[in-house]
Amino acid sequence: KYGQMSGEDIVVGASIPATWTTMTFFDTTYPTDKGVTTNLTNDSIAFDNTGVWNFSVSINAEVTPQGSSRTFDLRLYNLTAATPVPLDWLIATGSNAAAINFSADLLVNVTPAEVGDEFVLQWQSSNTINVVGFPLISMGATYADELQSLAV
């Protein structure tokens, strides 16, 4: 069970918002999602089964260099229930950095009440970080729960 959406060579030309905002830079889905529903209309992933899922995110962003370090936050957000997953990633860029590269995995326990809920990736920053574009951005999920049966 797996699914993924990504964006490649996406031009942004805007600053990371100061308040939590859904990232809407995905333009391609994995052609054969299984157990996951990807939705490019609102850039969400819905889990079709209960259990533990490995949620992965990878961001390669080009930014306008500045003379000081900057930080921004990233989180997974349940759009249907209007609640964040209880973990934020705080990402820092170095002084005069022209790129941000970030990859992470997060285990998400999907309860029966959350099956079919749409999850999105959100970001915010209290610093001014102008994102020129995303050479590559992706998010996906792979079922990681215990093997229940070997039957196919």
Side-chain angles (χ1 to χ4, degrees):
K1 298 174 183 173
Y2 49 83
Q4 179 175 325
M5 57 178 42
S6 62
E8 189 173 341
D9 298 324
I10 306 296
V11 176
V12 179
S15 293
I16 297 174
T19 58
W20 287 112
T21 304
T22 298
M23 298 182 79
T24 58
F25 308 111
F26 302 98
D27 61 7
T28 305
T29 61
Y30 194 78
T32 55
D33 292 340
K34 295 182 180 180
V36 172
T37 301
T38 51
N39 182 345
L40 289 177
T41 302
N42 65 359
D43 293 309
S44 69
I45 288 182
F47 303 98
D48 299 340
N49 299 95
T50 61
V52 178
W53 289 83
N54 182 52
F55 175 80
S56 60
V57 60
S58 181
I59 294 174
N60 175 252
E62 296 172 340
V63 297
T64 303
Q66 294 179 340
S68 60
S69 301
R70 297 151 292 162
T71 62
F72 70 98
D73 299 289
L74 194 64
R75 73 179 181 186
L76 184 62
Y77 185 79
N78 184 328
L79 194 61
T80 307
T83 56
V85 171
L87 174 73
D88 297 354
W89 290 290
L90 176 63
I91 301 149
T93 66
S95 300
N96 296 314
I100 299 169
N101 294 295
F102 175 78
S103 294
D105 292 305
L106 173 66
L107 292 177
V108 179
N109 185 26
V110 176
T111 66
E114 294 171 318
V115 170
D117 285 5
E118 294 180 306
F119 288 80
V120 295
L121 197 57
Q122 293 186 328
W123 63 348
Q124 73 171 6
S125 180
S126 58
N127 307 129
T128 301
I129 303 176
N130 185 46
V131 178
V132 177
F134 291 106
L136 181 63
I137 183 169
S138 67
M139 70 174 178
T142 305
Y143 196 65
D145 212 339
E146 295 179 23
L147 184 62
Q148 300 297 318
S149 169
L150 293 176
V152 177

